Amino acid sequence: MESINVEFVQNLLASYKELQESYYALQNRMAAFEAMATAKFEAYEAELAEKDAVIASLKSEVADLTKKLERYREKDKTNSSNSHMPPSSDKTKSAHKNTHKNTSGRKPGAQKGHKGSGMSLPAHYDRQEITSLTPKPCQSCPIRFVCSGLACSRVSEVRHEVDVVVQVVVHKYEQLECICHRLDNAVLRGTFPEGIAATMQYGQETRALAIALLNEGAVSAQRTHDILSALAGMPVSVGSIIAWNLGLSDDLEGVHREIRDELLNADVAHGDETSMNVNGTNWWVHVACNKLLTYLTVHKRRGHEGICAADFFPLYRGICVTDCWKAYDMFKTLSGHGRCCAHILRELQKVIDTHPELVWAKYLQQTLLKMKAAKERAIAKGKSSLSRSTIYGYMADYDLWIRSGKYYTPLPSENPETGKKESKSYARRLVERLERYRDEVCLFLTKFVVPFDNNQAERDLRPVKTKMKVSGVMRTERGAKAYAIIRSFLSTAKKHGVNIMVALRLAFAGRAREAIWGVTY
């Protein structure tokens, strides 16, 4: 057996110990490295999570800003030609450059061959003044009168000047008393004309002019006082003007109800509403009308309550033409309900202006205009309806573009964070409404008695907006209702071809029905 080399063993043990120490040192370094790596990894994860949160927040903010930008773009491109906004709100004259109306290309004004309605001498005038104008050399000629009547004294040209002169006429009524010997010395007195009740009062012409300025001219009572004072020097008080207005409205209440009753028998009636400032509060003027009758009422509410308070549509059994205001949909007794296509054309124009990529709006707009043109051509030929095949073709086109609109204007997606759907776009809401009201929108095509638009109601309501712009406010509820009654009477009289001054004279004389139906009480 060989002897063990102690030195070798000792060296081997020393080497092993060194290796063991190196191993432990390496383990410690590895543990420290792992701890450092874990800390850095956690820090990186935290930083990454923070960046992910920032990115998500920025994406959400970008989405919100994109929606706001879209709304601002729509608002910027919204004007009177593609919305309900009035023309006065248009920022530039180029607002109508993309309008759906087809221009004729002709110059503005009367065209060649137009008969014209120029100035002519009035049928009735109080006096005529004739002035003969002699040449200046003849004015100082000593033999001027010798030439009179000869060929050299002839009228070469006649010109007329028509002027309006305000004359103040005072009618004095003296009540005479007579002692009749045949009737046992009874005292007999003359009778004052009807309507002459006070010692001093204004006549019918003055009252009619004041009411015309107040209701037709749309000026306030104070301005009416100023105008009458300036014209004729008559210090008509504001109180008197208001009293005449309220008194006339009381006298016209029966005629106002008769207008409503007559309108209830019409085949088609238009309905609409507009706001009115009554003593600082927003009220609503409701109208029911046709080509011959205008029925206006005033109420605090715009919707179903205000429409029912007018006491017309709950009783009406004919065809109603309105816009898409839902309050009119609650009356199920109507025999038909037409929608104003002029409103729809403007709404489609808004989609065209704000989203040119949605071509369905343009083609649907053209389809409605083609329907209108086809109806007008048929009426010009004396027809009372279109053939079924023609109607079917137009309705098929309408349905085609509605389907296209629903396909290319999808529903909004669901928000992954909240789980709620975003609000529908303007174009999506419009195409769904046009699908829902399809038969009512196209009713003008299937029934010729139904007009294409609701412009009649808007024309009858326009004086209300003019009154608000000029006068600003109705101070009392009674004054607002009086305005509605008198406007109903004046508008109806004008539709029957009666001059408003003639109508007001008849009204103050207690013969208002003559201005509308040509009959007396």
Side-chain angles (χ1 to χ4, degrees), residues 177-189:
E177 292 185 355
C178 299
I179 300 176
C180 184
H181 299 288
R182 292 190 304 164
L183 299 175
D184 298 329
N185 295 328
V187 179
L188 304 179
R189 293 182 177 86

Side-chain angles (χ1 to χ4, degrees), residues 314-329:
L315 306 175
Y316 188 55
R317 299 294 182 269
I319 300 174
C320 171
V321 181
T322 65
D323 51 23
C324 292
W325 178 238
K326 288 186 177 180
Y328 294 100
D329 297 340

Side-chain angles (χ1 to χ4, degrees), residues 9 174 237 454:
V9 172
E174 296 178 339
S237 67
N454 196 31

Side-chain angles (χ1 to χ4, degrees), residues 72-79 81-82 95 349-350 352-356:
Y72 285 135
R73 282 177 178 171
E74 287 187 358
K75 186 176 180 181
D76 183 59
K77 292 186 178 182
T78 300
N79 51 61
S81 67
N82 58 24
Q349 188 64 42
K350 181 176 180 179
I352 296 170
D353 294 340
T354 56
H355 298 283

Side-chain angles (χ1 to χ4, degrees), residues 274-284 299-301 465:
T274 191
S275 59
M276 170 184 278
N277 189 335
V278 180
N279 196 22
T281 311
N282 193 37
W283 282 47
W284 293 88
H299 197 267
K300 292 181 179 179
R301 298 286 182 265
K465 307 309 293 184

Side-chain angles (χ1 to χ4, degrees), residues 394-458:
Y394 284 121
M395 298 299 280
D397 290 344
Y398 184 96
D399 294 337
L400 171 65
W401 298 120
I402 289 294
R403 289 194 301 270
S404 174
K406 293 183 69 177
Y407 180 80
Y408 289 103
T409 315
L411 289 168
S413 58
E414 188 175 284
N415 192 324
E417 296 181 359
T418 61
K420 297 181 180 179
K421 284 189 176 181
E422 300 174 353
S423 59
K424 296 179 182 178
S425 65
Y426 178 86
R428 180 69 191 193
R429 295 197 305 270
L430 176 60
V431 73
E432 288 182 356
R433 175 154 47 89
L434 293 179
E435 181 184 34
R436 183 167 63 253
Y437 294 138
R438 168 192 182 261
D439 294 337
E440 298 176 1
V441 170
C442 301
L443 189 63
F444 76 94
L445 185 71
T446 56
K447 292 186 178 181
F448 277 15
V449 70
V450 179
F452 178 77
D453 50 47
N454 196 31
N455 289 350
Q456 182 63 61
E458 295 186 359

Side-chain angles (χ1 to χ4, degrees), residues 142-393:
I143 60 170
R144 175 163 59 100
F145 296 102
V146 178
C147 299
S148 178
L150 300 179
C152 63
S153 299
R154 64 182 184 274
V155 177
S156 62
E157 186 180 356
V158 177
R159 297 182 182 182
H160 295 87
E161 180 184 18
V162 180
D163 206 352
V164 178
V165 180
V166 178
Q167 294 182 335
V168 179
V169 180
V170 179
H171 295 279
K172 180 179 179 181
Y173 299 97
E174 296 178 339
Q175 187 181 44
L176 300 180
E177 292 185 355
C178 299
I179 300 176
C180 184
H181 299 288
R182 292 190 304 164
L183 299 175
D184 298 329
N185 295 328
V187 179
L188 304 179
R189 293 182 177 86
T191 303
F192 287 106
E194 185 178 354
I196 304 299
T199 304
M200 294 182 66
Q201 67 182 59
Y202 291 104
Q204 287 183 9
E205 289 291 331
T206 304
R207 287 181 287 169
L209 179 57
I211 299 303
L213 290 172
L214 193 63
N215 295 277
E216 185 70 19
V219 299
S220 63
Q222 180 62 48
R223 290 196 181 105
T224 301
H225 157 78
D226 296 340
I227 292 172
L228 291 177
S229 300
L231 278 176
M234 296 183 295
V236 182
S237 67
V238 175
S240 295
I241 295 170
I242 295 174
W244 296 341
N245 194 62
L246 297 178
L248 180 61
S249 70
D250 293 340
D251 295 339
L252 291 175
E253 283 185 355
V255 176
H256 192 239
R257 287 191 297 271
E258 289 182 16
I259 292 174
R260 183 207 63 178
D261 295 340
E262 187 70 20
L263 191 58
L264 285 172
N265 298 322
D267 295 332
V268 177
H270 297 259
D272 205 353
E273 68 289 325
T274 191
S275 59
M276 170 184 278
N277 189 335
V278 180
N279 196 22
T281 311
N282 193 37
W283 282 47
W284 293 88
V285 179
H286 296 268
V287 63
C289 62
N290 61 9
K291 292 182 179 180
L292 292 176
L293 301 166
T294 303
Y295 178 67
L296 296 168
T297 56
V298 181
H299 197 267
K300 292 181 179 179
R301 298 286 182 265
R302 179 190 181 189
H304 186 71
E305 182 183 348
I307 298 173
C308 289
D311 204 24
F312 177 79
F313 283 106
L315 306 175
Y316 188 55
R317 299 294 182 269
I319 300 174
C320 171
V321 181
T322 65
D323 51 23
C324 292
W325 178 238
K326 288 186 177 180
Y328 294 100
D329 297 340
M330 303 178 69
F331 302 104
K332 305 301 181 183
T333 56
L334 300 172
S335 62
H337 198 157
R339 302 292 177 175
C340 178
C341 290
H343 279 80
I344 295 170
L345 290 178
R346 289 197 293 268
E347 290 178 292
L348 289 170
Q349 188 64 42
K350 181 176 180 179
V351 177
I352 296 170
D353 294 340
T354 56
H355 298 283
E357 71 278 4
L358 300 178
V359 296
W360 63 265
K362 178 180 179 181
Y363 288 113
L364 183 56
Q365 188 185 77
Q366 292 176 356
T367 299
L368 290 173
L369 292 173
K370 287 178 182 177
M371 291 180 180
K372 179 176 180 287
K375 176 181 176 179
E376 291 173 349
R377 287 194 300 268
I379 292 175
K381 294 178 180 178
K383 297 181 179 180
S384 59
S385 64
L386 292 171
S387 64
R388 289 185 179 181
S389 59
T390 303
I391 295 175
Y392 178 81

